Amino acid sequence: MPNTKNFNPNYKHQDFFIFTGLLLWVAICNCYDQHTAVWLTYATCILTLGFCLLPVLMFSFFKQALKEKLSNKKYILYWCGCFLILLPVFTLLATQFQTEPVDLSDKLTTAIGALTLELLLILNQYYQKKVQHIKWIKKIGLENAVLISIVLIALSISIMAVSSLNNPVYQREGFWLIGFEFNIRQLLHNFGAFLSFFSQFLIMYLCGYLLFFINSRWLVPKILKEKGLLIYLLSVSATVALLYPLLAQLLILLPINTVFGRSIFEANPFELENAFGAFAIMLISLPVVLALQWGKQNNIILSLEKEKSQNELDLLKQQLNPHFFFNTLNNLYALSLQKSDKTPESILQLSELMRYTIYKGKEKTVKLAQELDYITDYIQLQQIRLRKTLHFEFVKQVSNDQVEIAPLLLVVFIENAFKHGIEPADGEASLKLSLISNTQTLTFCAENSFDPEEIGPNSGIGIDNLRKRLELLYPGKHTLDISTIGNIFKAELKLQFT
């Protein structure tokens, strides 16, 4: 069997695949009634309509890359240029060529279909990000959504039925059709008939919903899951045998059964056609119910994993704060021994650092500017208490210091540099920091001198906790490289924000 553990499909071009599907289906629809040269016709349709959709196909192929590299305003301009300018232009150019069997309506339909599909994808993306996380929508669930749909369908058909009353187009001698009509005056004038239609249509659909509900709540989760497929199929058969004659008799007794000039349901409730309908509802709903059950289990698993990750992260933060307090107390003690005039100012600065650690450290993210201010204050305090020469350099290339970053990540490298490299040094020491950041990525590099004979510079809980925090906060979106060259220790962290 093929190894699927490392199979990780790339979804960057998913929209391109969907638009390609639209193109192929339109081409198929132009070929289904052909009897000769069908593959030539198919290829002609793909080439002709593909020319119409060329801007859309190109844009969808590079969509993910454009989102990552462009600002929102520039991306919107590119989108408008593609769908509102280039798509109509290419469609207009395609109309200048006569290609059988593709006519003008096919080209216009394809272009309009592409625009509609793109708007549908945008709405779906908005739903995935915003709407589906609203609490009351989460609580609706599939079963309630099906029930709401049934009520709306029954309501719509009842309104159209009443609006079609006394209309010679739909109501003739011997039969009556429901037209696609919506007449408020007719609805108000025949409100009693509307209520009668609505209640009867609702009963009809609720009979099918009852079978779906039994399948969803009992047969699949209890029988199929615990007893297996054979017992499930036999239980479905027994359920249909028990219910379908009773439900059929109920539907036969509804007055609406004979209103339209012919019986919707046969007079005999034991007709096998009714049983086939019940079986169809059970079997057609099975994939939906299985997807529902899988979704519930998956949500439970994700919730447990998220809770576990949060607990681990909280524990790491609890370990981080005492580690910082020990360092700051040592700083304060050293300053008091030196009887430095800078002691009061340093104590105030230390309190600000501790306040940042306690309060900002609890937040999920902070501004990069805040993190940089914290790092600057920390280095200044460390330099005050050092008795040796420190060659310090900090190079910053930050295009946007308002990007969000997890707090107290970068300072770990600096704490590690002072504790294991700079403070134990007998003579001069060096520390070189580099930060390159934009809206998509951040690269932070710390190089410090150390004594190779001393304990490794990456010892202690700081670096270990940092690795664990990165796995929890930026899974699959970070790289941490630690290396030593002679007496230089180098740590480089790369984060990907999008």
Side-chain angles (χ1 to χ4, degrees):
M1 293 180 65
N3 185 7
T4 58
K5 289 184 179 180
N6 298 323
F7 178 69
N8 185 21
N10 190 342
Y11 297 105
K12 288 185 177 180
H13 308 304
Q14 184 174 349
D15 287 4
F16 171 78
F17 181 71
I18 292 173
F19 280 108
T20 302
L22 171 67
L23 172 63
L24 296 178
W25 273 114
V26 176
I28 290 171
C29 291
N30 278 276
C31 297
Y32 78 94
D33 58 348
Q34 299 289 321
H35 301 287
T36 58
V38 289
W39 283 105
L40 179 61
T41 303
Y42 183 62
T44 303
C45 292
I46 290 177
L47 291 175
T48 304
L49 299 176
F51 180 79
C52 297
L53 296 185
L54 185 60
V56 175
L57 293 173
M58 294 290 291
F59 181 85
S60 61
F61 187 84
F62 295 105
K63 178 183 284 189
Q64 191 63 34
L66 291 174
K67 284 184 177 180
E68 293 175 357
K69 294 180 180 179
L70 300 178
S71 63
N72 289 335
K73 290 183 178 179
K74 285 187 177 180
Y75 176 80
I76 292 173
L77 288 175
Y78 274 66
W79 187 93
C80 293
C82 173
F83 286 92
L84 303 183
I85 298 176
L86 292 179
L87 179 60
V89 168
F90 273 70
T91 303
L92 183 62
L93 290 174
T95 59
Q96 305 302 313
F97 303 99
Q98 298 296 328
T99 51
E100 296 294 338
V102 182
D103 55 17
L104 175 61
S105 63
D106 294 323
K107 298 168 185 175
L108 293 177
T109 301
T110 304
I112 295 173
L115 179 59
T116 304
L117 181 57
E118 174 66 12
L119 295 177
L120 185 63
L121 291 173
I122 292 173
L123 289 175
N124 178 69
Q125 185 180 18
Y126 177 79
Y127 172 80
Q128 295 289 336
K129 287 186 176 181
K130 303 289 185 180
V131 179
Q132 73 169 353
H133 300 295
I134 300 175
K135 290 184 177 179
W136 67 269
I137 291 182
K138 278 186 174 181
K139 293 180 179 179
I140 291 178
L142 180 61
E143 291 175 357
N144 292 333
V146 172
L147 185 59
I148 292 171
S149 300
I150 285 174
V151 173
L152 292 176
I153 291 173
L155 184 67
S156 301
I157 294 178
S158 301
I159 292 174
M160 290 190 293
V162 173
S163 300
S164 302
L165 282 174
N166 303 320
N167 190 330
V169 176
Y170 306 110
Q171 191 170 2
R172 300 177 185 177
E173 186 178 355
F175 71 94
W176 180 19
L177 299 176
I178 296 179
F180 194 77
E181 299 285 338
F182 185 79
N183 191 317
I184 295 294
R185 182 177 296 178
Q186 282 276 78
L187 178 63
L188 296 176
H189 187 263
N190 300 283
F191 194 71
F194 162 73
L195 293 178
S196 176
F197 278 126
F198 176 67
S199 60
Q200 292 180 73
F201 279 123
L202 187 60
I203 290 172
M204 287 173 56
Y205 295 130
L206 287 177
C207 288
Y209 179 78
L210 175 62
L211 297 172
F212 165 78
F213 186 82
I214 292 173
N215 203 25
S216 174
R217 287 299 182 92
W218 180 58
L219 292 177
V220 171
K222 300 296 183 182
I223 306 300
L224 180 59
K225 185 178 179 181
E226 298 177 7
K227 303 296 182 180
L229 182 60
L230 178 61
I231 303 301
Y232 168 76
L233 293 175
L234 294 175
S235 299
V236 168
S237 178
T239 303
V240 172
L242 174 66
L243 293 179
Y244 101 82
L246 301 177
L247 296 177
Q249 185 61 58
L250 173 63
L251 296 176
I252 291 169
L253 294 175
L254 293 177
I256 200 173
N257 190 41
T258 57
V259 165
F260 298 101
R262 62 181 183 85
S263 296
I264 301 175
F265 303 99
E266 297 293 336
N268 184 358
F270 295 95
E271 275 285 341
L272 289 180
E273 183 180 344
N274 299 328
F276 292 150
F279 273 117
I281 292 174
M282 289 284 198
L283 296 179
I284 292 174
S285 66
L286 178 59
V288 179
V289 175
L290 288 175
L292 177 65
Q293 296 295 325
W294 176 85
K296 288 181 179 179
Q297 292 180 356
N298 191 52
N299 287 336
I300 293 173
I301 293 172
L302 290 176
S303 178
L304 291 174
E305 289 180 348
K306 184 178 181 181
E307 184 178 349
K308 179 184 176 183
S309 298
Q310 188 61 46
N311 291 337
E312 291 179 358
L313 191 58
D314 291 340
L315 180 60
L316 292 173
K317 285 183 178 180
Q318 290 172 7
Q319 294 175 350
L320 179 65
N321 287 339
H323 180 61
F324 172 78
F325 291 148
F326 290 142
N327 286 345
T328 54
L329 287 174
N330 288 335
N331 292 345
L332 182 58
Y333 178 68
L335 288 172
S336 64
L337 289 178
Q338 295 172 11
K339 297 181 180 180
S340 171
D341 294 336
K342 297 181 179 180
T343 301
E345 180 185 352
S346 299
I347 293 175
L348 182 61
Q349 225 170 356
L350 282 174
S351 68
E352 291 297 326
L353 293 179
M354 293 172 69
R355 183 178 291 109
Y356 182 91
T357 304
I358 294 171
Y359 295 109
K360 291 294 183 180
K362 293 180 180 179
E363 297 181 7
K364 187 176 180 181
T365 59
V366 296
K367 303 292 186 185
L368 178 59
Q370 295 174 312
E371 190 77 356
L372 289 177
D373 290 341
Y374 174 82
I375 290 174
T376 302
D377 291 341
Y378 179 85
I379 293 174
Q380 287 177 354
L381 282 177
Q382 290 284 17
Q383 287 179 306
I384 288 174
R385 73 182 189 86
L386 282 178
R387 296 181 179 180
K388 57 180 69 70
T389 302
L390 175 64
H391 300 285
F392 174 67
E393 181 182 356
F394 195 175
V395 179
K396 304 175 189 175
Q397 296 180 20
V398 180
S399 62
N400 181 12
D401 62 1
Q402 297 302 302
V403 295
E404 299 285 338
I405 183 175
L408 303 174
L409 280 183
L410 306 182
V411 74
V412 175
F413 298 107
I414 303 168
E415 287 182 342
N416 189 71
F418 276 99
K419 182 177 180 181
H420 299 289
I422 298 170
E423 292 177 9
D426 294 330
E428 296 182 353
S430 65
L431 175 61
K432 182 179 179 181
L433 304 178
S434 171
L435 176 67
I436 302 173
S437 175
N438 53 44
T439 56
Q440 281 83 35
T441 60
L442 178 145
T443 301
F444 182 75
C445 181
E447 298 181 34
N448 64 273
S449 58
F450 79 104
D451 186 354
E453 296 180 0
E454 296 289 335
I455 299 175
N458 58 340
S459 61
I461 66 172
I463 294 294
D464 292 338
N465 278 358
L466 177 64
R467 293 183 190 274
K468 295 175 183 177
R469 289 185 68 203
L470 287 171
E471 288 295 331
L472 294 171
L473 295 170
Y474 298 95
K477 293 186 176 182
H478 77 278
T479 57
L480 176 59
D481 296 321
I482 294 179
S483 59
T484 58
I485 303 176
N487 67 333
I488 298 298
F489 170 76
K490 180 179 180 181
E492 185 176 53
L493 172 66
K494 293 182 180 180
L495 298 180
Q496 193 173 3
F497 298 133
T498 56

